[in-house]
Structure formats: C-alpha cells, structure tokens
C-alpha cells in the first residue's frame, strides 16, 4: 500500500517557478521563500532519474538527497539507569 519514498532538498532561485513546476516530479512537502529551498519526496525507484531531470531545470541551483530514512531510529541502552541515585 505504501510506496518507498526518498526525500530531496532542491535549492532554487525562483520560488514561484518552483511551486508551479516541482509537482510534476514528486510530492512537494515545503517551499521556503526566505531560504530558497524546497523539500520534496519522490519514488525511490526513480530517484536518480528524477535528480538528473531536476538539475536541468533553469531555476534549480543544486539537488541534494536526504539520508533521513537511512538513519538508525532504534536505540539500545547499555548504560544502567541512574535515576534512582538522584531521588530525594
């Protein structure tokens, strides 16, 4: 049901053109007018192809891949719990 998506950060020079044209390539999550970037999600299977297409657009300065889905989010605590030493 859910497709694998990867995040992209697209550095732009024109936010108005970005808001019109970036929807064709994936799901636009956020466009910052002040910092001139757009955060968007694309299908993982078409990631490299989409990055090349986005780089060819005239208002795009740089395209960066987000590594958020590759970061480990399950943590293990090997340290003993010290809260009992700090009770009153």
């Amino acid at each position: 049901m859910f497709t694998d998506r990867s995040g992209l950060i697209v550095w732009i020079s024109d936010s108005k053109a970005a808001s019109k044209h970036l929807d064709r390539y994936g799901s636009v999550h956020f466009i910052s007018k002040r910092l001139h970037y757009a955060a968007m999600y694309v299908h993982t299977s078409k990631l490299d192809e989409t990055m090349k297409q986005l780089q060819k657009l005239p208002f795009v300065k740089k395209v960066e891949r987000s590594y958020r889905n590759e970061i480990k989010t399950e943590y293990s605590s090997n340290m003993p719990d010290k809260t009992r030493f700090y009770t009153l």
Side-chain angles (χ1 to χ4, degrees):
M1 184 170 147
F2 293 108
T3 59
D4 290 333
R5 299 186 310 167
S6 295
L8 290 178
I9 305 299
V10 182
W11 297 95
I12 55 177
S13 59
D14 186 12
S15 61
K16 191 172 185 180
S19 64
K20 288 182 180 181
H21 297 287
L22 288 181
D23 286 335
R24 298 177 187 167
Y25 300 99
S27 175
V28 177
H29 181 68
F30 179 74
I31 295 178
S32 172
K33 293 181 181 179
R34 184 171 63 91
L35 297 176
H36 301 290
Y37 76 92
M40 63 183 299
Y41 291 100
V42 297
H43 293 288
T44 304
S45 60
K46 299 180 182 179
L47 180 66
D48 295 329
E49 178 184 324
T50 306
M51 286 178 70
K52 290 177 185 176
Q53 290 175 354
L54 286 172
Q55 194 63 43
K56 292 178 183 178
L57 295 174
F59 57 87
V60 173
K61 294 180 184 177
K62 184 168 74 167
V63 179
E64 294 180 356
R65 184 171 171 235
S66 174
Y67 295 100
R68 183 176 182 193
N69 58 350
E70 297 175 7
I71 295 175
K72 181 182 169 185
T73 56
E74 297 175 5
Y75 305 106
S76 63
S77 177
N78 295 334
M79 303 286 288
D81 188 21
K82 295 183 181 180
T83 56
R84 63 185 171 120
F85 296 116
Y86 298 112
T87 59
L88 295 176

